[in-house]
Amino acid sequence: MKLLDQTRLPGEEVYLEIADYRELAKSIKQMNVRGAPAIGVAGGYGVALGTLKIEAASSKELLRKLQVVIKTLKNARPTARNLPRAVERMERVAHEAVTAEKNVDEIKETLVEEAKKIHTEEAEATYNISEFGADLILSGATVLTHCNTGPLATTGYGTALGVIMRAHEQGKEITVLVDETRPLLQGARLTTWEVQKAGIPMTLITDSMAGYFMGRGEVDCVIVGADRIAANGDTANKIGTYTLAVLAKENKVPFYVAAPTTTIDPSLASGEEIPIEERSHDEVTGFRGVRTAPGNCEAANPAFDVTPHRYITAIITERGIIQRPFQRGIARVLG
Ligand code: MRU
């Protein structure tokens, strides 16, 4: 399996050859591959990869040995719903294949096919999100976005960035304000790279400049992705999203969330229940091995925050745009 190493972009385009599910789990943790839909797709392929390597005399033995693969991949990163969801789906399909009395080789083949299906479905979903969301963007708009939500993060068209790119393709004149996204700079390194390739005019800003531009009336809407959305619409996304949402409300700027339904977790009543990943403090005290803070400096590094649903104008999914009240709208799109 080949992965474009996102940690080395935009300087170097290096592909990693992943031969083992443990290597893949490590790549997810290290964020060589990142973004909620992309790690879901990677997780699906990871289970397939793990299964192919298992030596088993019976389908039951295969299933038993598969448990360690499932556990390792599912827990690689805790916040995005897409990863455990894809891994759980692979597990369910493995169980069904055993119940259907498929042999070991057939189960392996079934799981490879299922991983491909997850990939195709996630990619298609992002295209539909982009189509629906583009209707919300008017020609002449300046759109502010945070983190990276384009093809790199989704293996498809993109969520928030997909919406922006689709609106641009439709001929709308759009300018993008790209938040740099401290501490790992997904905005400055990855979103700029993708927006530049798409030929959309953009300006890179530091995260702390967002209020300045909103206060001057220079932002027409904010659009972000999501890692997990609770049943009431509370949304976990890259750290700094909550700050943007509060600023948007204060400045009467619409605040949109774009995400596939695989990111929604209806089992969680509110955002308080969403697990937030705490990452290495070295990511805050330095960058790419160069220390910027003095030695022994205490730091914190929650990778995501939760935006309460009251700050969100609408949630764009592949099944349509969910308007407020979100509880009802979310239940409806999930059928
Ligand atoms: O830590 P990351 O870079 O994986 O965080 C990614 C985000 O927060 C994205 O906004 C989110 O996954 C949506 S990607 C379409």
Side-chain angles (χ1 to χ4, degrees):
M1 164 180 188
K2 261 184 165 181
L3 278 184
L4 175 56
D5 185 354
Q6 298 192 33
T7 62
R8 311 222 344 223
L9 288 171
E12 294 170 282
E13 279 183 49
V14 176
Y15 284 85
L16 303 173
E17 251 335 312
I18 306 285
D20 180 85
Y21 78 90
R22 292 179 212 88
E23 269 176 54
L24 180 66
K26 198 168 154 211
S27 290
I28 293 173
K29 279 192 185 103
Q30 290 175 173
M31 294 170 64
N32 304 103
V33 56
R34 49 145 296 283
I39 61 174
V41 171
Y45 281 123
V47 175
L49 198 62
T51 316
L52 289 175
K53 293 275 173 76
I54 294 175
E55 284 182 21
S58 70
S59 56
K60 292 239 166 70
E61 188 187 351
L62 179 77
L63 203 55
R64 195 168 33 78
K65 289 185 170 169
L66 192 57
Q67 289 315 307
V68 57
V69 176
I70 286 164
K71 203 167 156 213
T72 307
L73 287 164
K74 204 162 134 176
N75 297 324
R77 288 190 78 191
T79 301
R81 176 63 189 133
N82 308 58
L83 175 60
R85 191 189 178 104
V87 173
E88 282 158 15
R89 173 167 158 180
M90 295 293 284
E91 185 179 16
R92 197 175 56 243
V93 168
H95 276 278
E96 284 165 5
V98 173
T99 309
E101 297 185 353
K102 289 191 177 178
N103 66 33
V104 169
D105 287 341
E106 287 168 339
I107 297 172
K108 289 181 176 181
E109 208 175 297
T110 304
L111 289 181
V112 171
E113 287 312 309
E114 195 64 22
K116 288 184 189 164
K117 260 194 230 164
I118 292 173
H119 190 176
T120 309
E121 285 172 19
E122 282 291 52
E124 279 173 7
T126 62
Y127 184 77
N128 293 331
I129 290 168
S130 307
E131 273 290 311
F132 281 120
D135 287 348
L136 299 170
I137 315 275
L138 299 178
S139 192
T142 295
V143 184
L144 191 149
T145 192
H146 190 60
C147 197
N148 171 261
T149 60
L152 287 169
T154 61
T155 75
Y157 204 77
T159 56
L161 196 52
V163 169
I164 293 168
M165 294 203 289
R166 189 72 197 113
H168 171 76
E169 280 173 5
Q170 290 172 347
K172 293 176 183 167
E173 280 179 25
I174 292 163
T175 302
V176 193
L177 278 187
V178 179
D179 255 7
E180 68 171 353
T181 317
R182 279 277 294 147
L184 295 180
L185 307 187
Q186 289 93 327
R189 295 185 302 105
L190 309 175
T191 302
T192 52
W193 190 68
E194 290 186 322
V195 171
Q196 220 167 42
K197 277 191 175 188
I200 309 173
M202 68 167 167
T203 304
L204 173 65
I205 60 172
T206 66
D207 300 346
S208 48
M209 292 176 191
Y212 171 85
F213 287 107
M214 284 196 227
R216 288 163 60 102
E218 293 181 25
V219 178
D220 296 294
C221 69
V222 177
I223 176 159
V224 297
D227 286 82
R228 200 183 287 236
I229 301 174
N232 67 349
D234 290 354
T235 293
N237 190 50
K238 181 51 54 196
I239 192 78
T241 302
Y242 171 44
T243 317
L244 281 179
V246 176
L247 283 168
K249 184 152 191 138
E250 168 69 15
N251 290 287
K252 300 188 175 51
V253 172
F255 184 91
Y256 300 118
V257 170
T261 48
T262 45
T263 299
I264 302 176
D265 187 348
S267 74
L268 305 184
S270 79
E272 276 172 38
E273 296 172 44
I274 299 177
I276 299 294
E277 178 183 7
E278 177 76 23
R279 293 187 60 84
S280 164
H281 297 177
D282 294 346
E283 291 177 355
V284 175
T285 54
F287 186 68
R288 282 185 173 158
V290 178
R291 183 127 189 142
T292 49
N296 299 326
C297 174
E298 284 297 318
N301 193 11
F304 301 93
D305 57 25
V306 174
T307 298
H309 61 88
R310 64 179 178 279
Y311 292 107
I312 300 170
T313 311
I315 301 173
I316 308 156
T317 75
E318 77 278 17
R319 299 188 191 156
I321 297 174
I322 308 175
Q323 305 284 355
R324 305 156 64 86
F326 294 127
Q327 187 99 31
R328 215 169 47 206
I330 285 175
R332 200 187 57 243
V333 297
L334 294 184

